[in-house]
Amino acid sequence: QVQLVESGGGLVQAGGSLRLSCAASGRTFSMYALGWFRQAPGKEREFVAGVSWHVGNTYYADSVKGRFTISRDNAKGTVTLQMNMLRIDDSAVYRCAASRDANWVATMTFTSVYDYWGQGTQVTVSS
């Protein structure tokens, strides 16, 4: 069992930065691939970034590539999302999630492959 708790959301002006953190409980944290998703009002939940469980390879949605950076610290049980050059359309509730799917590299964008989810943190980018 893994419990995930996000923090670090808030209000920021366009062009600014925020750093989201997701703290995980559970001794098997290092065995999970981790992803960040976001959902804006009236829109579907979308994949933002992911990091694999072993090698720590990172993956990004095209919309955030070059602006966001995901990283994990297995010793601390945390995954972070550094968000730079924020845009108004980055505004959403951001949630971290953990997956043990054997084919995660191919399935990481699907919410159904994630076993555990955090409660979410709001990010609002203003003009």
Side-chain angles (χ1 to χ4, degrees):
Q1 184 105 9
V2 176
Q3 292 184 322
L4 304 171
V5 179
E6 302 96 336
S7 61
L11 175 64
V12 64
Q13 285 191 322
S17 299
L18 278 176
R19 184 178 179 88
L20 304 183
S21 293
C22 177
S25 63
R27 293 179 294 177
T28 60
F29 173 79
S30 62
M31 299 176 67
Y32 286 82
L34 302 166
W36 282 97
F37 285 76
R38 66 186 181 187
Q39 188 167 19
K43 295 187 177 181
E44 293 186 354
R45 190 175 301 177
E46 65 172 351
F47 172 83
V48 175
V51 56
S52 65
W53 68 275
H54 181 55
V55 180
N57 290 332
T58 58
Y59 306 86
Y60 300 93
D62 288 343
S63 59
V64 306
K65 204 170 291 182
R67 301 188 298 122
F68 290 12
T69 303
I70 187 172
S71 60
R72 68 186 295 164
D73 186 330
N74 288 335
K76 294 182 179 180
T78 58
V79 56
T80 60
L81 186 68
Q82 177 66 42
M83 305 186 295
N84 299 327
M85 296 181 287
L86 282 161
R87 309 186 306 215
I88 292 176
D89 61 0
D90 291 320
S91 297
V93 175
Y94 284 70
R95 299 177 72 180
C96 63
S99 172
R100 287 290 306 273
D101 187 76
N103 297 311
W104 178 81
V105 173
T107 62
M108 69 178 78
T109 63
F110 296 99
T111 58
S112 59
V113 306
Y114 291 85
D115 305 291
Y116 302 102
W117 291 84
Q119 83 289 350
T121 185
Q122 177 71 48
V123 171
T124 303
V125 184
S126 64
S127 58

